[in-house]
């Protein structure tokens, strides 16, 4: 085959790929214009759900955004020469040569008349550029652009901007977190939360509260996070994603404060409510939930660690759970040392240290069930206690376990024995009743949440009552007119 034939085939392949390349960009621009039409309709009719629809459409288009497409959309949506147009176009100048958009092919029947600039479109354009800069890993420019967008949001007090503003709040904090400067914006986030509260922007309050909690927890400021959470106004959740994040942060705070029961409930609820697509978030919830359940003395089910796509991430916690279940202190030390880097990265190393006591208690419970009487020296050997005086340590551990009710046994100090009592019938106690009560409460709580999550027509009972009232008034008016006509006939 000659070089000329090869060159001709290359030219043909390029000519075939070029139209599809332009068609993809034209389709993306077409969808962006459609989103702009939703935003304009929402601005005129004050329907916030149209803004949410435009945001969902944007999420689907995020990976298709290019500098040329965004530049064409800015020319379409913003007034040429305006401050926002000039500021945003500056971030796209370096990438304009990547591709060209065929404006004739991208022409759409959806047209937004840009006779005057809409604040919603202004904020939406900022959001698109920030998403593009983050995907291109231009984090410093994204940080500067997000700071400029926050400055513009403060000047707008419109309910139709709230949905877009909540997204910008998130990416504003995310950009600073990516650059390692999260502490710099804490004061600004507090000011934005105060503004959102004064404007009754409940979605903005939800988002900013979660961002502030994340900011505090990032630097291990758990006390300050709890003070803010306890004093912040609470209301019915507007966003399932934000509510899941709030439950996760609340579970982490409760765990650090040793309130394991409340922490377990919050973390399991966050993992259950999280979308299936948010796999990373669900992995984090499961990691903390596993540790909390281990600290409560429970052993998580094996199926938790076998969830699709989570086996590798939860493997360290599976081995840790196995060590706690067996009560082998030596195995626990090996697992903690083997995955110390993973635990430090997950910020769960302090919780792993707390688990040592649970491992010892589990091993002691197994010993008390297996032996009716055993010497303290053998207890220390089986627990693999490493200390200067293991027998004295074993005696103190056994005494504390007996006092806490962890084991049914007695301590013979003179002979150095631990004497176990006979195991009674658990069904003669209140434990089965307590277990059934907790399961029933869980089912009732899930039912109530499902009912609250349902969407109902706005005030249908009031509309029915008003229709009945109008019909009754009309009947009364007709009866009064009929009586008046009868009276007139009697007069004649």
């Amino acid at each position: 085959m000659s070089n000329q034939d090869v060159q001709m085939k290359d030219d043909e392949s390029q000519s075939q790929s070029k139209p599809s390349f332009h068609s993809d960009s034209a389709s993306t621009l077409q969808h962006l214009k459609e989103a702009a039409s939703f935003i304009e309709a929402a601005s005129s009719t004050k329907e916030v759900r149209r803004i949410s629809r435009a945001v969902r459409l944007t999420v689907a288009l995020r990976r298709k955004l290019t500098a040329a497409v965004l530049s064409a959309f800015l020319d379409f949506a913003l007034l040429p020469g305006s401050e926002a147009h000039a500021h945003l176009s500056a971030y796209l100048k370096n990438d304009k040569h990547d591709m060209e958009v065929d404006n004739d092919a991208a022409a759409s029947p959806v047209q937004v008349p840009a006779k005057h600039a809409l604040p919603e479109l202004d904020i939406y354009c900022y959001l698109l550029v920030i998403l593009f800069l983050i995907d291109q890993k231009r984090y410093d420019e994204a940080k500067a652009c997000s700071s400029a967008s926050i400055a513009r949001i403060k000047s707008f007090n419109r309910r139709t901007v709230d949905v877009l503003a909540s997204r910008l709040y998130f990416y504003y904090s995310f950009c600073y977190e990516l650059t390692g400067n999260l502490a710099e914006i804490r004061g600004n986030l507090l000011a934005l939360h105060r503004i959102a509260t004064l404007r009754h922007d409940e979605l903005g309050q939800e988002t900013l509260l979660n961002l502030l909690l994340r900011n505090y927890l990032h630097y291990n400021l758990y006390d300050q996070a709890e003070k803010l959470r306890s004093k912040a106004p609470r209301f019915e959740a507007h966003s399932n994603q934000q509510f899941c994040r709030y439950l996760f942060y609340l579970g982490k705070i409760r765990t650090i404060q040793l309130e394991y029961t409340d922490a377990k409930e919050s973390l399991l609820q966050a993992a259950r409510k999280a979308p299936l697509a948010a796999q990373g978030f669900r992995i984090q919830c499961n990691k903390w939930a596993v540790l909390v359940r281990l600290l409560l003395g429970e052993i998580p089910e094996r199926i938790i660690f076998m969830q699709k796509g989570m086996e590798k991430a939860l493997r360290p916690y599976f081995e840790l759970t196995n060590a706690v279940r067996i009560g082998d202190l030596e195995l626990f030390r090996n697992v903690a040392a083997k995955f110390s880097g993973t635990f430090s990265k997950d910020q769960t190393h302090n919780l792993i240290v707390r688990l040592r006591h649970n491992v010892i208690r589990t091993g002691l419970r197994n010993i008390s069930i297996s032996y009716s009487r055993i010497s303290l020296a053998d207890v220390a050997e089986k627990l693999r206690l490493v200390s200067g005086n293991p027998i004295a340590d074993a005696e103190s551990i056994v005494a504390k376990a007996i006092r806490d009710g962890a084991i049914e046994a007695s301590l013979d100090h003179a002979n150095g024995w631990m004497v176990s009592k006979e195991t009674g019938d658990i069904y003669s106690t209140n434990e089965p009743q307590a277990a059934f009560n907790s399961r029933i409460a869980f089912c009732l709580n899930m039912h109530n949440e499902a009912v609250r999550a349902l969407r109902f027509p706005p005030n249908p009972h009031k509309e029915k009552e008003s229709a009945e009232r109008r019909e009754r008034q009309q009947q009364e008016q007709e009866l009064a007119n009929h009586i008046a006509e009868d009276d007139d006939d009697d007069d004649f």
Side-chain angles (χ1 to χ4, degrees):
M1 185 180 293
S2 64
N3 294 332
Q4 185 178 2
D5 295 337
V6 174
Q7 186 177 2
M8 289 176 61
K9 287 193 174 183
D10 291 341
D11 293 340
E12 289 178 0
S13 61
Q14 289 178 4
S15 62
Q16 290 175 359
S17 62
K18 202 168 184 179
S20 63
F21 196 57
H22 282 292
S23 63
D24 290 341
S25 62
S27 176
T28 304
L29 183 58
Q30 166 87 16
H31 289 304
L32 289 178
K33 291 181 179 182
E34 185 180 355
S37 68
F38 292 149
I39 294 174
E40 190 202 26
S43 177
S44 59
T45 60
K46 308 301 181 186
E47 295 183 9
V48 181
R49 62 182 180 84
R50 294 179 181 269
I51 301 285
S52 302
R53 186 177 177 183
V55 171
R56 288 195 298 270
L57 181 59
T58 305
V59 172
L61 297 174
R62 178 173 178 176
R63 300 302 178 189
K64 300 179 181 179
L65 296 179
T66 61
V69 169
L70 288 178
S71 180
F73 180 73
L74 292 181
D75 295 338
F76 168 79
L78 299 179
L79 292 174
S82 63
E83 180 183 356
H85 186 278
H87 185 253
L88 294 176
S89 298
Y91 295 107
L92 307 175
K93 286 182 179 178
N94 296 332
D95 294 331
K96 275 190 179 181
H97 64 276
D98 291 345
M99 58 170 278
E100 296 179 357
V101 179
D102 187 357
N103 292 324
D104 295 334
S108 164
V110 180
Q111 294 292 332
V112 178
K115 296 180 181 179
H116 59 280
L118 292 176
E120 291 83 2
L121 278 179
D122 193 349
I123 300 302
Y124 180 66
C125 290
Y126 270 98
L127 177 62
L128 290 176
V129 174
I130 291 172
L131 290 174
F132 171 73
L133 294 175
I134 291 175
D135 292 339
Q136 296 294 317
K137 301 187 185 305
R138 296 159 58 181
Y139 300 134
D140 291 330
E141 296 180 58
K143 184 173 71 172
C145 186
S146 63
S147 299
S149 68
I150 295 299
R152 293 188 68 83
I153 284 177
K154 291 181 180 179
S155 61
F156 300 136
N157 184 13
R158 297 160 66 105
R159 299 287 69 80
T160 49
V161 178
D162 292 346
V163 176
L164 296 171
S166 65
R167 290 300 180 111
L168 282 181
Y169 295 149
F170 172 78
Y171 288 110
Y172 172 59
S173 177
F174 185 56
C175 291
Y176 276 82
E177 184 176 355
L178 289 173
T179 55
N181 302 318
L182 198 56
E184 295 180 6
I185 61 171
R186 191 178 302 152
N188 202 8
L189 290 177
L190 288 168
L192 289 170
H193 186 270
R194 182 170 60 251
I195 293 173
T197 304
L198 294 175
R199 293 177 176 177
H200 302 286
D201 177 11
E202 295 185 351
L203 181 58
Q205 291 179 62
E206 273 187 332
T207 305
L208 290 166
L209 176 61
N210 286 332
L211 293 176
L212 284 165
L213 292 177
R214 182 180 181 85
N215 198 308
Y216 284 124
L217 298 183
H218 183 77
Y219 295 100
N220 296 323
L221 302 175
Y222 287 91
D223 291 337
Q224 295 185 32
E226 172 58 20
K227 289 178 181 178
L228 172 67
R229 189 208 63 79
S230 61
K231 296 181 183 297
R234 292 300 303 161
F235 36 78
E236 186 177 355
H238 290 263
S239 170
N240 181 62
Q241 290 85 349
Q242 296 300 330
F243 186 51
C244 290
R245 290 190 181 104
Y246 174 78
L247 289 173
F248 176 61
Y249 298 143
L250 178 61
K252 293 179 71 173
I253 293 172
R254 291 286 183 258
T255 303
I256 299 300
Q257 293 178 338
L258 307 181
E259 300 177 11
Y260 297 134
T261 303
D262 295 340
K264 171 190 169 185
E265 182 180 354
S266 297
L267 291 168
L268 291 179
Q269 191 176 4
R272 189 176 68 250
K273 285 179 172 290
L276 293 177
Q279 192 170 23
F281 178 81
R282 292 169 57 228
I283 288 174
Q284 289 297 321
C285 290
N286 281 297
K287 287 179 179 179
W288 280 77
V290 165
L291 291 178
V292 169
R293 294 185 65 180
L294 290 175
L295 289 168
L296 282 171
E298 303 176 6
I299 302 298
E301 298 80 5
R302 189 184 185 92
I303 193 173
I304 293 177
F305 306 97
M306 300 294 112
Q307 298 181 66
K308 184 178 180 181
M310 299 187 186
E311 298 91 341
K312 184 178 180 180
L314 295 179
R315 184 68 187 180
Y317 296 87
F318 173 72
E319 296 190 16
L320 190 71
T321 301
N322 190 41
V324 175
R325 181 182 61 83
I326 299 173
D328 191 338
L329 193 58
E330 184 65 25
L331 180 60
F332 174 78
R333 293 196 197 100
N334 294 335
V335 173
K338 178 181 178 182
F339 299 105
S340 59
T342 303
F343 296 143
S344 299
K345 182 180 179 181
D346 295 338
Q347 296 182 340
T348 56
H349 187 267
N350 292 334
L351 302 180
I352 306 299
V353 174
R354 295 184 192 177
L355 275 177
R356 179 180 181 274
H357 179 67
N358 293 62
V359 177
I360 295 175
R361 178 169 292 188
T362 303
L364 189 60
R365 189 182 298 114
N366 294 337
I367 292 173
S368 68
I369 294 173
S370 302
Y371 298 91
S372 60
R373 186 178 68 179
I374 187 172
S375 66
L376 294 177
D378 291 338
V379 171
E381 182 181 355
K382 289 183 176 298
L383 292 178
R384 301 186 183 183
L385 299 178
V386 179
S387 62
N389 191 355
I391 296 178
D393 290 345
E395 184 176 3
S396 64
I397 290 171
V398 171
K400 189 175 186 303
I402 294 173
R403 186 195 66 185
D404 295 341
I407 59 175
E408 295 290 335
S410 60
L411 195 60
D412 188 345
H413 180 72
N415 297 319
W417 290 337
M418 181 186 76
V419 181
S420 302
K421 298 179 181 179
E422 293 185 2
T423 305
D425 184 11
I426 193 173
Y427 288 98
S428 63
T429 65
N430 292 330
E431 288 192 21
Q433 180 182 356
F436 278 118
N437 183 53
S438 64
R439 294 175 184 177
I440 293 171
F442 174 79
C443 293
L444 290 175
N445 185 37
M446 180 180 292
H447 173 267
N448 294 335
E449 290 177 358
V451 171
R452 282 196 295 267
L454 294 175
R455 292 186 178 182
F456 299 95
N459 301 326
H461 60 285
K462 292 184 179 179
E463 294 178 0
K464 185 177 180 181
E465 290 177 359
S466 61
E468 292 177 352
R469 189 182 300 109
R470 286 195 300 269
E471 184 179 357
R472 187 169 56 252
Q473 291 176 353
Q474 184 179 1
Q475 291 176 355
E476 291 175 355
Q477 184 65 30
E478 292 177 355
L479 181 60
N481 294 336
H482 183 68
I483 294 173
E485 291 176 357
D486 291 342
D487 291 341
D488 292 339
D489 293 340
D490 291 342
D491 291 341
F492 284 112

